[in-house]
Amino acid sequence: MNEIKCSKCGNVFKADDAGYADIIKQARNIEFENELREREARYRADLARAVELAVANARNDLQKDIAKKDVLIAEQKAQLEGAEIKKELAIQKAMETLAKEKEGIVIKYEAELKSNSEMIAYYKDMKARQSTKMVGESLEQHCEIEFNKLRATGFQNAYFEKDNDAKSGSKGDYIYRETGADGAPIISIMFEMKNEQDTTATKKKNEDFLNELHKDRQEKKCEYAVLVSLLEADSDLYNSGIVDMSHRFEKMYVVRPQFFIPIITVLRNAALRTADDKAELARIRHQNIDITEFEEKLNEFKDSFTRNRELAGRQFNEAIGEIDKTIKNLEKVKENLLASIRNLSLANKKLDDVTVKKLTHGNPTMAAKFAELKKEEPEKGRKTTNG
């Protein structure tokens, strides 16, 4: 039996093994349930804190994303506003520029219109007060004065004088000629100045003078012809500026007095470009001539060298042939010499083989003679010794 004391009342009671085990089991179950409840409470608390932390972190991240998006939206908005402002400023600036340009163009054309109107009024007044002859002379004087104003600065190498040569029966009013720094001619222009009073009964047209001006240009060997005219004052064609009449006559122009200097400038600039082109063409032609001469000299040298080489080749071949012939001759001489040496060797051998015995063999007479000679030689030797 096991004694068990109650922790509350202090009483002691006994229990058998089964009861004791049951009590122990109950105690353990209660303890397990208490621990399970505590763990569950802790888990729920941890879970609540984790959820709360996750929610807080998510809320924080969401706020950060929202803040970033707000910043990005603000930047894009600022960029759009800046671009819009720039666009508006550019448009405004362009409009201001256009307005200024328009104002400048208007002022320019108003000034030109005023100048033209004043000039027309001036010439009308001048024509009204002068005779026909005096009107023409005044136009010539006007052009000469305008040219002389620029002669020292813009036309240093130019000649502009009245055409006083009337050998052919007619003459122009002025001839313009210009040369380059090297004295080479650049351009020449025959000028005719025409005017008339408004009160003249018979009105002339510009085309009435073109044929005669063309003849004068050819007679004086000028490249261009220019009619400076106040005729047909109301013509839109002639009042528009420089009028090219090349469809009627080669290199022919009609201008109002205000375009007198501009027509010279236009034609001389074109002539200067042509002169530069001619100089470049001459330089290229000269280069081509130099190249042609060089090629000719080179070809001549090649031909001469080829001829010399062929001649030297033939002479070389002939020399080689002569050497070959000489070698063959020397080889024959060598063979003859070798044959001679062989013959001499044979002769020497034969000579060495020649003896008195061989010579007297079969010849009793010669054998007797040689025998006598042999006997005489000892006797002569003894006499010589004694004597």
Side-chain angles (χ1 to χ4, degrees):
M1 298 292 288
N2 294 315
E3 292 182 352
I4 299 173
K5 185 177 180 180
C6 180
S7 57
K8 294 182 178 181
C9 63
N11 293 326
V12 177
F13 58 92
K14 292 182 180 181
D16 57 9
D17 291 337
Y20 182 75
D22 185 55
I23 292 171
I24 294 299
K25 182 179 180 181
Q26 291 179 4
R28 287 180 178 175
N29 289 338
I30 293 171
E31 185 179 356
F32 176 76
E33 289 178 357
N34 291 335
E35 185 177 356
L36 184 61
R37 281 194 294 272
E38 290 176 359
R39 288 186 179 181
E40 184 179 0
R42 286 198 301 271
Y43 172 76
R44 290 182 180 278
D46 292 340
L47 180 61
R49 285 194 297 273
V51 170
E52 184 178 355
L53 181 60
V55 170
N57 290 335
R59 185 181 293 111
N60 189 27
D61 292 340
L62 181 61
Q63 289 177 351
K64 288 181 180 179
D65 290 340
I66 292 172
K68 288 181 180 178
K69 289 180 180 179
D70 290 340
V71 171
L72 181 61
I73 291 171
E75 290 177 352
Q76 291 178 348
K77 185 177 180 181
Q79 290 177 357
L80 290 174
E81 290 177 353
E84 191 67 25
I85 292 172
K86 288 181 180 179
K87 182 179 178 182
E88 291 178 358
L89 290 174
I91 293 172
Q92 183 179 356
K93 186 176 180 180
M95 292 298 292
E96 291 175 356
T97 302
L98 289 174
K100 289 180 180 178
E101 291 179 354
K102 181 180 178 182
E103 182 180 356
I105 292 171
V106 170
I107 292 173
K108 177 182 176 182
Y109 281 104
E110 285 179 350
E112 290 182 359
L113 182 61
K114 181 180 179 182
S115 176
N116 291 337
S117 299
E118 290 176 351
M119 184 169 290
I120 291 171
Y122 166 76
Y123 282 113
K124 283 185 176 181
D125 180 68
M126 180 180 67
K127 288 189 294 181
R129 290 183 288 105
Q130 295 178 336
S131 66
T132 302
K133 183 174 184 300
M134 286 300 296
V135 167
E137 290 178 353
S138 296
L139 181 57
E140 293 177 5
Q141 291 172 1
H142 165 78
C143 293
E144 188 171 354
I145 291 170
E146 290 300 310
F147 181 83
N148 288 331
K149 286 180 183 178
L150 300 172
R151 184 191 291 270
T153 56
F155 303 99
Q156 295 92 340
N157 299 322
Y159 164 93
F160 181 72
E161 302 292 341
K162 284 186 70 68
D163 180 18
N164 295 317
D165 184 5
K167 289 190 228 178
S168 61
S170 67
K171 63 184 182 65
D173 287 331
Y174 282 86
I175 294 177
Y176 174 92
R177 299 186 189 275
E178 186 171 358
T179 59
D182 57 354
I186 295 175
I187 186 175
S188 57
I189 307 172
M190 171 64 72
F191 280 100
E192 181 78 14
M193 286 74 171
K194 287 298 175 185
N195 196 358
E196 64 183 4
Q197 290 179 312
D198 292 333
T199 57
T200 302
T202 304
K203 297 294 183 182
K204 295 287 187 180
K205 293 184 178 181
N206 290 313
E207 292 192 9
D208 297 337
F209 301 95
L210 299 184
N211 185 46
E212 192 68 25
L213 178 57
H214 177 67
K215 291 179 180 179
D216 292 337
R217 177 185 75 83
Q218 291 180 323
E219 180 69 26
K220 302 302 167 58
K221 294 181 171 54
C222 292
E223 184 178 2
Y224 295 94
V226 175
L227 175 64
V228 182
S229 172
L230 283 171
L231 304 179
E232 301 180 68
D234 298 329
S235 172
D236 292 334
L237 173 63
Y238 297 113
N239 291 335
S240 63
I242 297 172
V243 180
D244 186 352
M245 302 297 293
S246 298
H247 62 284
R248 292 292 310 278
F249 298 97
E250 181 184 11
K251 295 184 176 181
M252 175 81 69
Y253 298 90
V254 177
V255 298
R256 294 304 190 194
Q258 62 267 32
F259 293 104
F260 167 67
I261 295 297
I263 187 63
I264 297 177
T265 304
V266 169
L267 295 178
R268 77 193 290 260
N269 287 342
L272 288 173
R273 287 193 296 270
T274 303
D276 291 339
D277 294 339
K278 289 180 179 179
E280 180 66 16
L281 183 61
R283 185 182 68 81
I284 293 172
R285 187 181 293 112
H286 183 69
Q287 286 181 348
N288 292 335
I289 292 173
D290 291 342
I291 292 171
T292 303
E293 291 179 353
F294 175 78
E295 289 177 347
E296 290 176 354
K297 290 180 180 179
L298 180 61
N299 292 330
E300 183 180 352
F301 171 77
K302 285 180 178 180
D303 294 339
S304 177
F305 180 80
T306 300
R307 288 193 300 270
N308 292 335
R309 184 185 63 188
E310 290 175 352
L311 180 60
R314 287 196 298 269
Q315 292 174 344
F316 178 80
N317 292 330
E318 290 175 0
I320 292 296
E322 293 297 326
I323 292 172
D324 290 338
K325 290 178 182 179
T326 303
I327 290 172
K328 288 180 180 179
N329 292 331
L330 290 174
E331 287 177 348
K332 287 181 181 180
V333 172
K334 179 181 176 183
E335 290 175 359
N336 292 333
L337 290 174
L338 291 175
S340 298
I341 292 172
R342 286 194 298 271
N343 291 329
L344 288 173
S345 298
L346 291 173
N348 286 332
K349 285 182 181 181
K350 290 180 179 179
L351 183 61
D352 291 339
D353 290 340
V354 174
T355 61
V356 175
K357 185 178 181 180
K358 287 183 178 180
L359 290 173
T360 58
H361 178 70
N363 193 342
T365 303
M366 291 302 296
K369 291 290 184 181
F370 277 109
E372 290 177 2
L373 287 173
K374 283 184 180 180
K375 288 179 181 179
E376 291 177 359
E377 285 181 357
E379 291 180 358
K380 289 181 181 179
R382 284 197 296 269
K383 288 180 181 180
T384 302
T385 302
N386 293 331

